[in-house]
Amino acid sequence: MWRDKWVPIGLLILLGLLQYRLWFGKNSVLDYHARQQQVQQQTLQNANLNQRNALLKADISDLKIGLEAIEERARNELGLIKQGETFYRILPADNE
């Protein structure tokens, strides 16, 4: 009678151990989901960096092609003006 019960009990214990490893052990389902989230975050970060690199490449090609891009940058970033030009700054009116 006891011999007939040991086989199913042993199989249930083995199944329990395998289920434990599947859900909580090394490389478990929880680890898989965590890695999936990391991959999604890294993919988003890579897309942002690729977009930034494309903009930088466009800036570099503009600077290599002509002086107009250099002049535009000097005007916008450094506030430079040409000789003989007059600079006007228009401020918005206060609505009080």
Side-chain angles (χ1 to χ4, degrees):
M1 184 165 143
W2 281 98
R3 286 185 187 181
D4 296 336
K5 291 184 180 180
W6 284 109
V7 172
I9 291 173
L11 289 175
L12 283 174
I13 291 173
L14 182 62
L15 179 65
L17 291 173
L18 291 174
Q19 284 292 315
Y20 177 79
R21 285 194 63 201
L22 174 69
W23 292 101
F24 304 110
K26 184 179 177 184
N27 298 325
S28 65
V29 174
L30 298 176
D31 289 340
Y32 173 75
H33 288 297
R35 295 285 185 257
Q36 287 286 16
Q37 288 179 345
Q38 288 176 350
V39 167
Q40 289 174 352
Q41 290 174 352
Q42 191 65 46
T43 303
L44 180 63
Q45 185 178 6
N46 287 348
N48 291 338
L49 290 174
N50 284 335
Q51 183 179 11
R52 185 193 67 163
N53 287 345
L55 290 174
L56 288 175
K57 285 178 184 177
D59 273 350
I60 289 171
S61 67
D62 284 346
L63 291 173
K64 284 182 179 179
I65 290 174
L67 296 176
E68 289 139 8
I70 295 172
E71 182 180 335
E72 180 184 347
R73 273 200 133 152
R75 287 175 177 270
N76 290 335
E77 293 178 9
L78 301 175
L80 298 179
I81 57 172
K82 289 182 180 178
Q83 190 171 10
E85 286 183 335
T86 305
F87 177 73
Y88 294 99
R89 177 176 290 172
I90 300 172
L91 299 174
D94 292 334
N95 293 332
E96 291 184 26

